[in-house]
Amino acid sequence: MSLKRKHEDIDPSNPSTEPPIFRSAPISDRESTFIGLFSPTLLPKDLQHLAEIKPASHKVLAWRRESNQQSLTHAKQYVTGHDDDGEKYGGSKVEKVLVSMGVTGACVVARWYGGVMLGPVRFTHMENAAREAVQKWQEDVADGAAKKRRIEDDAAEKHRLIRVLGKRDQSITVLRALAFEKEAMAKRAAEGEAPPLPPENVIIDATATAKSPRVMLASPQAKPKYDDMELSQLRMLEKARDASTAFLLKRIDKAEAQLVPSSTPPKKEAEPP
């Protein structure tokens, strides 16, 4: 028996109806073709009377929805039903698929009869077509939930990075000024020379003593517009700020090490006899 998935009348990848309807791939067997359609929101009869399946020989329908009645245990109750549409027992087969998969909605399996009786295997085709249509919906729901989580996670991370980068910028400005101050002091202590000119974002207080120059922050530079940046850019900037912080801390440590007096006592010159 040849089972080929094909049908010229319906393109499952190009649905044209709203609300969304999820379709199985067509199943062909000895000139008969089956295709499942599932909708979690469309009314059962509306799904059964879609124009795209109007030419089908049978439009086997089943549905399952929550009941308005409350049970003593407050467990959810469901109402199910089906319409064989001339394919005896077909509706109950599709209904069992909905129940076994625990979904609510309507499902139609359309069959185009090809002139050859298939026997019981036709029910297998109906079940497979219905199951695949429901699975398409489940995959769509899962993809949508995953996409929503990614968007929420990215938004939270962007918010964190914007806050962190603002603090890092302030820290780097302070560290840069401190590094220049320490290096200036170390240079004066070692060579007795005037310190080099400070970078653009720091100034030296002219009233400070030469022994301890006072470094003050100049007017801050324009703050980067982090809100307008992509998440990938913010991630790269965070790494760059970390590298800048580490580099400045090394400069400060090196300058402070040069300011510490040597613990080795100076050698005494030999007294003349």
Side-chain angles (χ1 to χ4, degrees):
M1 177 175 61
S2 174
L3 293 179
K4 299 181 180 179
R5 292 182 171 266
K6 64 179 182 178
H7 197 272
E8 297 177 356
D9 298 333
I10 297 179
D11 180 5
S13 65
N14 186 30
S16 58
T17 56
E18 291 293 342
I21 297 171
F22 300 86
R23 298 159 173 79
S24 71
I27 301 174
S28 293
D29 180 10
R30 288 169 286 179
E31 305 304 324
S32 283
T33 301
F34 302 80
I35 183 170
L37 301 92
F38 175 78
S39 173
T41 56
L42 204 61
L43 292 175
K45 288 298 181 181
D46 290 342
L47 184 64
Q48 191 180 36
H49 292 102
L50 286 177
E52 66 183 87
I53 59 174
K54 186 176 181 180
S57 308
H58 305 282
K59 294 173 279 291
V60 181
L61 170 68
W63 62 89
R64 182 174 185 257
R65 61 176 176 81
E66 288 190 25
S67 173
N68 295 326
Q69 297 180 354
Q70 292 286 340
S71 68
L72 295 176
T73 60
H74 299 288
K76 287 184 179 180
Q77 300 293 310
Y78 295 92
V79 176
T80 61
H82 62 266
D83 175 10
D84 291 335
D85 192 37
E87 189 69 83
K88 192 175 181 180
Y89 305 122
S92 62
K93 300 293 184 181
V94 177
E95 181 181 324
K96 287 180 181 178
V97 171
L98 298 181
V99 173
S100 66
M101 299 184 76
V103 298
T104 57
C107 184
V108 170
V109 176
R111 178 189 181 184
W112 285 261
Y113 181 61
V116 178
M117 298 182 66
L118 303 183
V121 74
R122 69 188 187 279
F123 298 126
T124 301
H125 298 331
M126 291 179 190
E127 292 170 345
N128 289 340
R131 187 176 296 108
E132 184 178 333
V134 174
Q135 288 172 343
K136 291 287 183 65
W137 168 72
Q138 291 175 328
E139 291 168 2
D140 184 76
V141 170
D143 290 345
K147 183 178 180 180
K148 182 180 179 181
R149 284 195 299 270
R150 286 195 300 270
I151 293 174
E152 292 173 347
D153 292 345
D154 287 350
E157 185 180 2
K158 183 173 182 178
H159 179 74
R160 179 190 69 82
L161 287 171
I162 290 173
R163 185 180 67 254
V164 167
L165 287 171
K167 293 181 179 179
R168 298 278 173 85
D169 289 344
Q170 295 176 0
S171 298
I172 288 173
T173 300
V174 173
L175 289 174
R176 187 178 289 115
L178 182 59
F180 176 80
E181 178 185 13
K182 296 291 184 180
E183 290 169 348
M185 293 173 62
K187 188 173 182 64
R188 284 188 174 187
E191 302 178 4
E193 299 178 0
L197 292 175
E200 294 181 357
N201 64 325
V202 295
I203 58 174
I204 299 294
D205 185 2
T207 63
T209 63
K211 196 171 185 180
S212 178
R214 187 181 306 148
V215 179
M216 301 184 299
L217 298 180
S219 56
Q221 299 178 353
K223 183 180 178 181
K225 295 182 179 180
Y226 293 130
D227 290 340
D228 298 335
M229 295 184 183
E230 297 291 336
L231 181 58
S232 58
Q233 292 176 294
L234 296 175
R235 287 169 175 164
M236 289 189 293
L237 283 175
E238 183 185 31
K239 293 181 180 179
R241 297 296 187 269
D242 288 343
S244 297
T245 300
F247 175 70
L248 290 170
L249 289 173
K250 288 181 180 178
R251 283 177 56 185
I252 293 169
D253 290 343
K254 182 178 179 181
E256 288 180 339
Q258 292 173 349
L259 289 171
V260 176
S262 175
S263 59
T264 305
K267 294 182 179 180
K268 294 183 179 181
E269 296 183 2
E271 298 181 359

